[in-house]
Amino acid sequence: MAAAGSDGKQGRVSFFAATVPGLGGLLAGELAGHPGLEPDGETGGDSRADLVSFRIGRGAAFRLNDLRLAEDVFAEISAARRAAPVRLAAALVPPAGLERALSVRASRVRPLSSAMTFRAVVRVLDESQFKRTELRTALERAIGAARPRWRIADPADLEVWAVEFRRGWFVSGLRLSDQRMRQHGEGRARQRHGALRPVVAAAMVRLASADAGRTGPRADAGPGPLLDPCCGSGTIVAEAVAAGWEARGCDIDPEAVSAARANVPAADIQKGDALRLPYPDGTFGAVVANLPFGRQFRLHVGWDGIGPALREAARVTRPGGRVVVLVPPPVPQQTGGLTLDSAYPIRLLGVPARIWAFDRDG
């Protein structure tokens, strides 16, 4: 997140991407592995999102939806230290920076009109010096002064965000993405309550690769099929298919099986129990699952439910493969032929959870 929002020597615009808190490191790895992108090492975030800054190489064939681990992408306008709201707003939407970001949006999203609607979105780490609403009002006035024909609305044609990405430091950006990026397309044919966010599913599929840093058309594809034994509406299976895996899913709930088949018609979806999978030993190169947790599910938080599911996942995974699960802590570091490789704490719907990536022992 550069101080002026661009490379002074080359006049190139900086960008930043937002993802689920806890996934910033994985997003930075995805950016670093993309041939058309140049991460600049700047990261930060508030309690609602991790932010990672990058630039696009000249002539690079890059589309926003190339980033499977980002929920939003912004053209950076500026960055500034915390100050009084009016002064900070002026520093965050300087005319040159705003014009630069608007040019990017016009070229990458759609042309602009002279009269458009806009809204300001503000996130702060604390409100001890001023309220979030004070900065939002100051931003709206600064943008209105620069673009007098624009009017405030919600929803709006344009969104200008100001985020305190590190204590005392703010970055502003023009949002380039829309809801389709968060949904990884036009959304699911069949919706189910509590479906996993696609960006989390994409991160889990990425971790299923023996080399999560690989890139290319089959960047995350591993040595054999991938199974989601608790597939729900099929979000993980869909991300695996998009990444090049031969993906399969099963679920104990017939309604979930029906929804997943509708959402991912290219995948093999069957009815099955995660604790007694209907597959021979070593069938899969990876098992990736959002294991149900909570009182309403058969698998409760705690080792009594999660342990048997992990052991069954290990049984059907080939030596050298991977098992990736999303459950709250604690989870033993080694069990049933699995050795913990890495863990990523995240929050979903206000509930702390963790992505655990295990290696299947040889």
Side-chain angles (χ1 to χ4, degrees):
M1 280 150 262
S6 69
D7 185 320
K9 294 182 179 180
Q10 301 180 21
R12 287 191 295 159
V13 176
S14 290
F15 298 79
F16 60 91
T19 190
V20 170
L23 297 184
L26 287 174
L27 173 57
E30 182 184 29
L31 288 164
H34 195 290
L37 303 182
E38 302 170 4
D40 63 12
E42 287 279 359
T43 61
D46 57 15
S47 61
R48 298 176 62 182
D50 282 359
L51 304 180
V52 183
S53 182
F54 66 98
R55 293 189 178 93
I56 301 175
R58 292 188 180 279
F62 170 70
R63 301 168 301 173
L64 296 183
N65 59 11
D66 287 346
L67 295 179
R68 305 298 290 186
L69 302 190
E71 289 197 321
D72 281 301
V73 175
F74 302 81
E76 186 176 328
I77 299 172
S78 187
R81 286 184 180 273
R82 176 183 278 267
V86 172
R87 181 180 174 186
L88 178 57
L92 289 175
V93 287
L98 181 59
E99 184 62 35
R100 206 162 35 232
L102 289 169
S103 296
V104 171
R105 190 184 186 281
S107 63
R108 289 193 166 270
V109 182
R110 64 177 61 89
L112 303 171
S113 63
S114 57
M116 302 190 73
T117 60
F118 77 96
R119 66 187 291 250
V121 178
V122 174
R123 293 179 177 176
V124 299
L125 293 175
D126 72 77
E127 295 185 299
S128 60
Q129 295 180 326
F130 56 76
K131 300 296 184 183
R132 176 179 58 86
T133 52
E134 294 180 79
L135 179 56
R136 185 181 66 198
T137 299
L139 276 173
E140 290 171 346
R141 290 173 177 170
I143 296 168
R147 296 280 172 164
R149 296 190 61 183
W150 290 5
R151 62 182 179 84
I152 299 171
D154 186 9
D157 300 322
L158 304 173
E159 289 186 1
V160 175
W161 287 49
V163 181
E164 190 174 14
F165 68 95
R166 194 178 300 132
R167 192 163 297 278
W169 278 98
F170 285 77
V171 63
S172 59
L174 184 67
R175 188 183 181 196
L176 305 178
S177 52
D178 58 24
Q179 189 63 27
R180 289 173 296 178
M181 184 170 188
R182 291 180 174 234
Q183 296 174 345
H184 287 187
E186 297 298 333
R188 305 173 181 89
R190 294 272 301 275
Q191 295 281 356
R192 298 187 82 232
H193 176 70
L196 189 64
R197 287 161 70 167
V199 69
V200 178
M204 295 173 69
V205 169
R206 183 176 179 84
L207 288 170
S209 171
D211 180 1
R214 284 185 294 168
T215 59
R218 295 177 58 85
D220 298 318
L226 179 149
L227 172 70
D228 179 358
C230 303
C231 68
S233 57
T235 308
I236 289 174
V237 176
E239 291 302 320
V241 169
W245 287 86
E246 176 195 341
R248 304 182 196 176
C250 68
D251 201 287
I252 199 169
D253 182 355
E255 291 186 6
V257 172
S258 177
R261 286 174 175 170
N263 290 332
V264 200
D268 179 13
I269 310 293
Q270 303 294 332
K271 186 174 184 297
D273 187 344
L275 301 181
R276 291 183 295 274
L277 292 171
Y279 305 104
D281 296 358
T283 300
F284 299 97
V287 172
V288 180
N290 174 20
L291 295 179
F293 53 89
R295 294 181 179 178
Q296 70 270 37
F297 295 110
R298 179 175 176 180
L299 292 177
H300 293 184
V301 173
W303 182 240
D304 289 345
I306 296 171
L310 281 177
R311 287 194 290 270
E312 185 67 353
R315 180 186 68 79
V316 300
T317 303
R318 299 171 185 172
R322 283 210 152 188
V323 172
V324 181
V325 295
L326 174 64
V327 289
V331 169
Q333 295 189 1
Q334 186 169 5
T335 182
L338 299 176
T339 301
L340 182 64
D341 174 77
S342 55
Y344 296 84
I346 63 174
R347 291 186 69 86
L348 294 174
L349 301 176
V351 177
R354 194 164 296 185
I355 300 172
W356 309 83
F358 296 89
D359 290 322
R360 177 64 167 91
D361 300 336

